[in-house]
């Protein structure tokens, strides 16, 4: 290395160091915008939400928040039946919805895993629902489920079937949401399952076939555990 270059590098490092050997404020200044954004969009809303959980604040009555401690939690757990109804609906959506998505995703992945050159275009087509923003998908299904002008009831009427109030009937609304969620997120689980299937060594299946294993045994003993 040129001695002059080394001298300039040492001089530059010395200029950036404090007399005590520590770096100056420059690194913190570069990090300041990211830290400010992090505080603005995550830390401050979190602390503000935690504050709201321990106060009683009725905007229609007063602008002053009254500290109530854990009373909000006890009221919602023991006095508000809507909370447990919401928990039941959420649990049903998670167990049934995600379970159906996982089963269908694994099934589609196994079918696509045996496809040759058409695998890539088929995967691209099936992934279109995942690329749609959830808000947009929600508005789409809201229009589809419209009991007066929606295309779903129109198709049912075309075949002589009676339309339903898909989002107004309590017995149907939750399953309508499950169907919409199933349509959007099943391809994502299919993609994950397909990646897992392609990572399983093919030699294991060949050995299982030689040993006389049935397709179900190969799935239960090889595919599912390794997936």
């Amino acid at each position: 290395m040129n001695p002059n270059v080394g001298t300039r590098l040492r001089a530059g490092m010395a200029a950036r160091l404090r007399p005590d050997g520590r770096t100056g404020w420059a690194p913190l200044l570069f990090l300041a915008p990211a830290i400010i954004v992090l505080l603005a969009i995550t830390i401050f809303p979190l602390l503000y939400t935690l504050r709201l959980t321990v106060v009683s604040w009725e905007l229609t009555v007063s602008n002053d928040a009254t500290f109530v401690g854990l009373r909000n939690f006890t009221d919602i757990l023991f006095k508000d039946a809507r909370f447990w109804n919401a928990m039941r609906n959420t649990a049903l959506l998670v167990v049934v919805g995600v379970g159906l998505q996982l089963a269908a995703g694994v099934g589609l992945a196994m079918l696509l895993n045996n496809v040759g050159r058409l695998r890539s275009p088929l995967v691209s087509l099936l992934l279109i629902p995942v690329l749609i923003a959830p808000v947009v998908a929600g508005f789409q299904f809201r229009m589809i489920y419209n009991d007066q002008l929606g295309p779903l009831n129109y198709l049912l009427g075309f075949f002589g079937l009676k339309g339903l109030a898909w989002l107004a009937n309590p017995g149907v609304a939750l399953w309508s949401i499950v169907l919409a969620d199933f349509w959007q997120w099943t391809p994502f689980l299919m993609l994950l399952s397909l990646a897992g299937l392609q990572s399983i060594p093919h030699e294991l299946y060949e050995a299982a076939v030689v040993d006389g294993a049935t397709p179900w045994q190969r799935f239960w003993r090889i595919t599912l555990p390794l997936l």
Side-chain angles (χ1 to χ4, degrees), residues 10-227:
R10 288 191 294 271
M13 291 296 298
R16 288 193 295 269
L17 292 175
R18 293 182 177 180
D20 56 2
R22 294 182 299 173
T23 59
W25 290 98
L28 293 179
L29 292 177
F30 283 111
L31 290 174
I35 294 175
I36 293 174
V37 172
L38 180 66
L39 292 175
I41 66 176
T42 58
I43 306 300
F44 173 75
L46 175 63
L47 296 177
Y48 187 76
T49 303
L50 291 177
R51 173 181 175 272
L52 292 179
T53 61
V54 294
V55 299
S56 176
W57 192 2
E58 298 183 14
L59 297 178
T60 58
V61 178
S62 172
N63 291 328
D64 297 329
T66 304
F67 179 79
V68 295
L70 299 178
R71 194 182 73 186
N72 290 331
F73 295 95
T74 57
D75 288 346
I76 199 172
L77 289 175
F78 302 107
K79 298 180 180 180
D80 193 350
R82 296 175 300 175
F83 171 76
W84 293 110
N85 183 55
M87 289 294 293
R88 180 182 64 84
N89 292 335
T90 303
L92 185 63
L93 178 64
V94 171
V95 174
V96 177
V98 178
L100 291 175
Q101 294 170 29
L102 182 60
V106 173
L108 288 173
M110 293 186 65
L111 292 175
L112 291 173
N113 195 41
N114 297 323
V115 176
R117 298 180 179 179
L118 294 178
R119 180 188 302 161
S120 296
L122 287 176
V123 170
S124 301
L125 290 175
L126 291 174
L127 284 177
I128 290 177
V130 182
L131 303 178
I132 299 175
V135 174
V136 177
F139 277 106
Q140 287 178 340
F141 275 91
R142 183 180 180 181
M143 291 185 293
I144 293 173
Y145 288 145
N146 189 293
D147 57 339
Q148 299 295 329
L149 303 174
L152 183 56
N153 278 351
Y154 174 79
L155 291 176
L156 292 177
F158 182 79
F159 290 103
L161 301 176
K162 184 180 179 181
L164 298 174
W166 299 97
L167 298 178
N169 189 338
V172 181
L174 182 60
W175 300 108
S176 301
I177 297 174
V178 170
L179 179 60
D181 193 63
F182 176 86
W183 173 83
Q184 183 166 33
W185 294 111
T186 297
F188 178 70
L189 294 176
M190 174 207 70
L191 184 64
L192 295 180
S193 302
L194 182 60
L197 288 173
Q198 293 181 351
S199 66
I200 299 176
H202 189 67
E203 292 78 5
L204 297 177
Y205 294 103
E206 293 177 349
V209 171
V210 172
D211 291 337
T214 63
W216 171 251
Q217 290 174 332
R218 294 197 296 269
F219 171 78
W220 187 255
R221 301 284 182 167
I222 300 175
T223 304
L224 191 59
L226 295 181
L227 189 59

